[in-house]
Amino acid sequence: MDLHVNLDDRRDLAGQIYRGLRAQVLDGRLRQGERLPPSRELARRLGVSRNTVGVAYEWLAAEGLLVGHVRTGSFVQAPPRPRQTRQRPGAREGKARTRALWSQLPEPSLQGPHAPFDFRVGVPDGALFPFETWRRLVARQLRASALTAAYGEPAGHPALREAVARHVGVSRGVRAEAADVFVTQGAQQALDLVGRVLLEPGARVAVEEPGYPPARLLFQSQGARVSPIPVDAEGIDVRALPDDTRLVYVTPSHQFPLGTVMSTARRQALLEWARRRDAWVIEDDYDSEFRFGGRPLETLQAMDTTGRVLYIGSFSKVMLPALRLGFLVAPPSLHRELRVARWVTDGHGPHATQAALARFIDEGLLARHIRKMRREYEARHRRLTEGLTLRFGDRVHVAPSVAGLHLCALLTRGSVALERALCERARERGVNVEGLSGYYAGRATQAGWVLGYGAVSVKGIDEGLRHLRDCLTHLDATTRKDDPSRDVTPRRSTPR
C-alpha cells in the first residue's frame, strides 16, 4: 500500500508521521485489518530514518490503533467507524461556478435493487446472456499475444467494424462498409460524437415528443436549442419541424416510448425535408433485433440517397448494458471529423472487449443469441399484452407494438396525476413501473405506463399486473369517495 504522509518540515518527524497515520485511521481512509508498509519501506519513501517510523508505529500501537505481528507486519486495529466528510482548506470560501445548464438538468436516476415485479424499461434479462462463451472469447483476447502496448484506433477495432458492417447489412439492410462504422461506448456516445461534429452553439435539434430523454438532455448540454416535435400514428410530424432545424433525432423502427413504426410515406417525407433544408437525421434503430410480427420497413439509412442519415445502434439490449458497446454508421463526408472527435474525447474503446465481440459476431454466436432472446421476449410481450387487456379492459389502450423490450399502455380515463399516483402506489407494493408523462419534454398530453418486460418473468408479469390493477381500483374508489362529482375527462385511446 502506498501511504501519503505530509511532512511540513524536519522537526518532530515521528510526531508528524504519527498524526498523519492516526488521522487516516480515524476518518476511515485506513480501515480495520489493513496492512501498513514495513517501517524500512515507509522510511525510504519519506526520506527519514527507520527508527523515526518505528517510533510513530509504537505510539499508534500504544493507543490501540495498530497491532504488530512477527513476520507478517503491522495492521490497523481501529474498530469500524462511519466515514466523515472532510472539509478541505478553502472549501468554505465559495461555491464552484459551473455552467448554469448543469444545475438545471436532472441527476441520473440509477437503477436500484430489483423490485419483485420489475417492469423497468430498457433492461434485458441478464440470465439469458451466454457468460461462459463470452468469458472464453474475452480470455482469448487478454493473452499477451493479442494485446499491444499501443493506443487503439479511435474509430474502433478493425475486426469489429467489419463484423458490424456485415451484421447490420444482413439483419437490417443497412448499406455500410467497415470504414463507415464507428464503434462507441453505447448509443449515447454515438449521439455525443454527432452533436460535437455537427452542432454549433445555439443550433436547433428536433426530437420526438414523447421521446427518449437522454438524447434530448445530451443535445441541451451541448448548447443546442431542442424542439420537441409531436408524434402521431405514422411517426414524427414532419410538417411541424422548424425551418432552421439542423439535426432531427428519430426512432423509426420502434418509436420510443410509444412503440409505433414510422410509415414509409413519413420516412420519405423526412428524407426529402432533410435534403431541402440541408439538415441531418439520426436514425436510432432502437430494439430492432426483437421484432415479433409484421414486415420490417426499410431503414432510413438504406432509403437515403444524399448521405444525410447517421445510423445508430447498440448492443446494450441484445447483450448487456455493462459492456458499453454501440456503433455509429456515418456517411463518408463525416468520417474524418468523427474520428477526430473520438480521438480528442476518450481516444478509443477497450481493445479486448471489441475484439471479443467481433469473434462473437463472426462465429454466428450473436445471431444465435438474438434468436433465443427473441423467442423469450415474444412470449413475455404476448403475456403482457393479453394481461393488460384481461385485467384492465377499457381502462387502458395498449399501443400497437410488434418489437422491442417494452410496450405502452395508455389510460383511457384519468390524468397525469392519476398516472403518477398509480406508479407511486405500485412501487409500495413491489411493482416497478414508469409513467408515460416522464417521457415528455413539455406538458404531457397523454397518461399511461411504459412497461418493460426484459427484467420480469412470465409468471411475474401476471402477478405484477394483478397488483397494478388493485392499485388502480383503490385509487378509483378513493377518487369517488373524495369527490363523487368529479368529472374524469376521457382521453384519446390512440397516439396523436
Side-chain angles (χ1 to χ4, degrees), residues 353-369:
T353 306
Q354 292 187 13
L357 178 56
R359 296 297 298 267
F360 194 70
I361 296 173
D362 289 341
E363 294 178 12
L365 300 173
L366 178 63
R368 184 190 309 169
H369 177 55

Side-chain angles (χ1 to χ4, degrees), residues 379-391 398 465:
R380 299 184 194 185
H381 177 276
R382 183 168 55 250
R383 182 63 64 90
L384 182 56
T385 303
E386 294 171 350
L388 285 167
T389 303
L390 177 65
R391 292 190 180 276
V398 181
L465 290 181

Side-chain angles (χ1 to χ4, degrees), residues 301-356:
Q301 195 270 355
M303 297 172 64
D304 178 30
T305 59
T306 59
R308 314 304 302 178
V309 175
L310 297 108
Y311 180 90
I312 285 176
S314 171
F315 294 99
S316 293
K317 306 303 181 294
V318 298
M319 298 185 70
L320 293 174
L323 297 179
R324 303 311 301 143
L325 288 166
F327 59 90
L328 163 66
V329 177
S333 60
L334 295 179
H335 286 182
R336 180 190 179 279
E337 288 78 5
L338 287 169
R339 187 171 179 273
V340 173
R342 181 66 191 275
W343 174 62
V344 300
T345 50
D346 70 340
H348 63 88
H351 177 102
T353 306
Q354 292 187 13

Side-chain angles (χ1 to χ4, degrees), residues 179-197:
D180 302 319
V181 176
F182 291 78
V183 181
T184 62
Q185 302 205 53
Q188 196 71 4
Q189 187 182 47
L191 293 173
D192 181 69
L193 290 174
V194 173
R196 289 174 182 271
V197 167

